């Protein structure tokens, strides 16, 4: 399977189109008011209409209540719910069944001990996303542009795909892919020229670099075998 490339936190048609035209496999919309990338439902529905059929659409939520989940499902119709809060495995199952979507659960990582939380989620969701743990004084989850030690994921086999996120950018992407061997990569702040403001050229460059890193790894593995 080729490396899945996801551009998250998109909020404007121009940068969404850049991601789609460059061949992003997935695009993400954020539904969390404290985030500078938060989009309202009306705008999200318009962006989703542009993306539908061209890339898979993920709706990122953080401990969202049923009212918000219902509204997202009805108006945006995402392919995925991407859960970034303290949602339990049981809640993830309920979301998956209620909305007939796939579910990706984010796991915050700072040390190898954080992987102890993965198994109950890996048993019930479609994909795991490893993100850097937020600083203690943070107002929102995620690494906020800072990566974690990818060596923690070396040799990891969950029995299903996992996605690497947290502080990825054009400069460290190839190294991250080589070390962690993820099934996918997810970027947000790494393709922004200012907080919450995506840059079309950076998006195109990141997707190109991801394809190149994937090809290089495949070549290296083939030669090693």
């Amino acid at each position: 399977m080729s490396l899945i490339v996801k551009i998250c936190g998109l909020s404007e048609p121009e940068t969404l189109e850049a991601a789609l035209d460059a061949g992003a496999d997935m695009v993400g919309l954020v539904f969390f008011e404290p985030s500078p990338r938060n989009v309202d439902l009306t705008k999200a529905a318009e962006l989703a209409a542009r993306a539908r059929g061209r890339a898979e659409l993920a709706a990122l939520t953080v401990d969202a209540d049923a009212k918000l989940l219902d509204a997202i499902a009805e108006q945006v119709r995402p392919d995925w719910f991407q859960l970034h809060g303290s949602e339990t495995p049981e809640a993830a199952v309920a979301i998956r069944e209620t909305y007939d979507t796939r579910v990706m659960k984010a796991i915050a990582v700072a040390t190898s001990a954080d992987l102890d939380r993965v198994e109950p989620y890996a048993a019930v969701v479609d994909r795991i996303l490893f993100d850097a743990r937020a600083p203690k004084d943070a107002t929102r989850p995620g690494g906020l542009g800072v990566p974690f030690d990818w060596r923690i994921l070396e040799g990891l086999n969950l029995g299903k795909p996992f996605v690497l996120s947290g502080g990825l950018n054009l400069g460290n992407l190839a190294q991250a892919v080589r070390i962690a061997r993820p099934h996918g990569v997810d970027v947000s702040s790494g393709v922004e020229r200012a907080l919450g403001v995506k840059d079309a050229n950076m998006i195109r460059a990141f997707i190109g670099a991801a394809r190149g890193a994937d090809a290089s790894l495949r070549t290296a593995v083939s030669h090693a075998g």
Side-chain angles (χ1 to χ4, degrees):
M1 183 174 68
S2 297
L3 185 71
I4 298 162
V5 183
K6 178 174 175 287
I7 309 296
C8 198
L10 291 157
S11 58
E12 297 298 335
E14 294 79 12
T15 46
L16 174 67
E17 288 292 339
L20 296 170
D21 289 345
D25 301 292
M26 299 183 70
V27 292
L29 305 179
V30 174
F31 299 89
F32 184 57
E33 288 191 0
S35 171
R37 302 167 188 94
N38 182 63
V39 289
D40 63 41
L41 287 165
T42 300
K43 190 169 194 177
E46 294 171 354
L47 295 171
R50 288 175 176 266
R52 190 160 290 112
R54 301 168 67 188
E56 293 185 339
L57 179 67
L60 188 158
T61 61
V62 181
D63 297 315
D65 59 21
K67 181 180 179 181
L68 178 56
L69 293 172
D70 286 348
I72 294 170
E74 180 180 351
Q75 298 182 47
V76 183
R77 295 189 292 134
D79 302 294
W80 293 78
F81 273 107
Q82 182 173 324
L83 310 179
H84 273 258
S86 57
E87 302 90 354
T88 64
E90 294 76 17
V93 170
I95 289 170
R96 193 172 187 266
E97 294 179 349
T98 299
Y99 302 107
D100 192 26
T101 61
R102 284 164 285 177
V103 170
M104 178 159 41
K105 180 66 178 85
I107 302 293
V109 178
T111 71
S112 57
D114 291 313
L115 299 185
D116 294 341
R117 298 179 53 230
V118 176
E119 187 175 350
Y121 291 102
V124 297
V125 302
D126 301 277
R127 198 170 289 168
I128 295 290
L129 181 144
F130 291 109
D131 200 358
R133 182 175 295 283
K136 289 184 178 180
D137 59 348
T139 58
R140 58 188 193 275
L144 310 185
V146 179
F148 63 94
D149 185 353
W150 306 308
R151 291 173 296 180
I152 293 170
L153 303 181
E154 278 188 296
L156 182 67
N157 183 5
L158 300 178
K160 62 181 51 181
F162 73 86
V163 175
L164 180 63
S165 186
L168 295 179
N169 56 52
L170 197 59
N172 64 22
L173 176 60
Q175 182 184 21
V177 169
R178 185 172 66 252
I179 292 172
R181 306 285 180 94
H183 300 85
V185 291
D186 182 314
V187 67
S188 186
S189 62
V191 290
E192 292 179 348
R193 62 174 179 270
L195 183 62
V197 182
K198 293 289 185 291
D199 184 284
N201 289 330
M202 293 173 72
I203 289 172
R204 295 185 192 99
F206 183 91
I207 294 173
R211 301 300 181 211
D214 186 36
S216 294
L217 182 59
R218 287 172 180 275
T219 298
V221 171
S222 175
H223 288 167

